[in-house]
Amino acid sequence: MCCDTVVLIPLLVLAAGFVILIVGGELLVRGAVRVAERAGMSELLIGLTIVGFGTSAPELVASVEAARAGSPGIAWGNIVGSNLANSLLILGAASLILPMVVPRGPLWRDGGLALAMTIVLWLVASTTGITVAIGVFFLMLLTGYLGYAYWAERTQPPGASALHEKAEALEISDTHLHDIQPLWRSILVLLVGIILIVTGGRWLVEGAVDLARLVGMSEAVIGLTVIAIGTSLPELVTSVVAAYKGASAVALGNVLGSNIFNLLLIGGVTAVIAPGTIPGEISNFGLPVLIAASVLLLIFAATGRKITRWEGAILLIVYLVMLVYNITAV
């Protein structure tokens, strides 16, 4: 009974951290979007920057808090695990609801960028380790990609970039995102969101570290599984709703955009704050699996220009097998 209570406490802290983090992330996006609109920012710029950064805030805060706490396994496990959840769990679930139509140009450009950066991260993790220079490179690449996405959306047909589709997916799933309210209330919502997301991230990491120690599971595995799934829940809801409403291409863009932000923004910031080695569970297992999953996703999407229901089922099965292996291999 005593042992059950000891394990229950970090579980409750972990669960509370998840809830506070996700609620804080939603409030942050709502408040920031409304403040940006009142400041006169264009919808395109808001979508590519405010929405992109805001929806990645839960993963960013969780990884940064873990890195600052000296838990690189949770920090990098969350980044790699979130991309695995995006590519296998979320796209698999969305494809089961509605076969996903795939525009070939954005697929190869955005999906190819995410795959290339995953390979770079794996090579660096397996050789020199993560350095500040790598983090700065990732952040500079994200800045360049944001600039390209802004140019593409202004000069090419709508939906020319995954980051635009990421914003579209959020608008489809949240019809009240642009509701008009007084400026002071929008600022208050934004500030409350920031406070909650920082508090939730801290509780999440504390609960995860304590839980890993008590049950004998490595922090890297906790990051790859529990933390990654929890921080990916908003993306799961957004993509599933978009697929249910028939916007399957938007659901795909939402996932590809999230993968790019996870690698370049969260990976870049984490590398700058806490350079060092990536745990073996991630460099020897998590990253190679993510590379294989990214290649599989590109193959599925390229054949027939859609991800069918049976292909979505395969993505889900692969994710479940990986999840069971991670947990039982402890």
Side-chain angles (χ1 to χ4, degrees), residues 37 41-48 167-168 171 178:
E37 288 174 339
M41 285 181 65
S42 68
E43 283 192 20
L44 173 57
L45 198 56
I46 290 172
L48 293 179
E168 286 291 314
E171 292 192 8
H178 300 282

Side-chain angles (χ1 to χ4, degrees), residues 77-94:
N78 177 43
I79 294 169
V80 175
S82 291
N83 279 16
L84 282 167
N86 285 342
S87 303
L88 298 174
L89 172 63
I90 295 177
L91 281 185

Side-chain angles (χ1 to χ4, degrees), residues 216-262:
M217 183 180 291
S218 74
E219 292 182 358
V221 172
I222 289 282
L224 280 168
T225 56
V226 179
I227 304 297
I229 293 173
T231 55
S232 296
L233 285 178
E235 301 294 349
L236 175 61
V237 172
T238 300
S239 293
V240 166
V241 170
Y244 180 75
K245 292 185 177 182
S248 58
V250 171
L252 175 63
N254 177 50
V255 165
L256 294 179
S258 295
N259 284 356
I260 291 171
F261 264 96
N262 287 344

Side-chain angles (χ1 to χ4, degrees), residues 13-238:
V13 173
L14 184 71
F18 272 135
V19 173
I20 295 172
L21 190 66
I22 290 172
V23 171
E26 182 173 344
L27 292 179
L28 183 146
V29 171
R30 286 175 179 270
V33 166
R34 289 165 180 162
V35 170
E37 288 174 339
R38 294 292 292 271
M41 285 181 65
S42 68
E43 283 192 20
L44 173 57
L45 198 56
I46 290 172
L48 293 179
T49 57
I50 304 296
V51 172
F53 282 88
T55 52
S56 295
E59 288 97 334
L60 176 62
V61 172
S63 286
V64 168
E65 281 294 328
R68 290 178 63 238
S71 299
I74 291 178
W76 289 103
N78 177 43
I79 294 169
V80 175
S82 291
N83 279 16
L84 282 167
N86 285 342
S87 303
L88 298 174
L89 172 63
I90 295 177
L91 281 185
S95 299
L96 283 180
I97 294 172
L98 185 72
M100 197 166 289
V101 178
V102 178
R104 186 160 294 181
L107 167 70
W108 289 111
R109 185 188 61 242
D110 302 319
L113 175 62
L115 173 59
M117 289 303 98
T118 304
I119 294 174
V120 169
L121 183 60
W122 173 63
L123 291 174
V124 170
S126 304
T127 54
T128 61
I130 302 300
T131 64
V132 173
I134 291 295
V136 171
F137 169 70
F138 274 27
L139 292 174
M140 290 177 62
L141 188 59
L142 175 63
T143 302
Y145 184 72
L146 284 170
Y148 166 78
Y150 183 73
W151 170 82
E153 291 299 331
R154 286 177 60 90
T155 60
Q156 298 178 28
S161 72
L163 302 187
H164 179 270
E165 300 288 20
K166 181 176 172 67
E168 286 291 314
L170 182 65
E171 292 192 8
I172 288 173
S173 64
D174 187 354
T175 56
H176 300 290
L177 184 64
H178 300 282
D179 286 354
I180 298 175
Q181 59 181 225
L183 180 59
W184 67 267
R185 186 176 297 174
S186 298
I187 294 174
L188 180 62
V189 169
L190 173 60
L191 293 176
V192 171
I194 293 173
I195 293 170
L196 289 180
I197 206 168
V198 171
T199 303
R202 190 163 298 152
W203 287 15
L204 180 70
V205 172
E206 289 176 359
V209 171
D210 290 342
L211 184 64
R213 187 180 69 250
L214 289 171
V215 302
M217 183 180 291
S218 74
E219 292 182 358
V221 172
I222 289 282
L224 280 168
T225 56
V226 179
I227 304 297
I229 293 173
T231 55
S232 296
L233 285 178
E235 301 294 349
L236 175 61
V237 172
T238 300

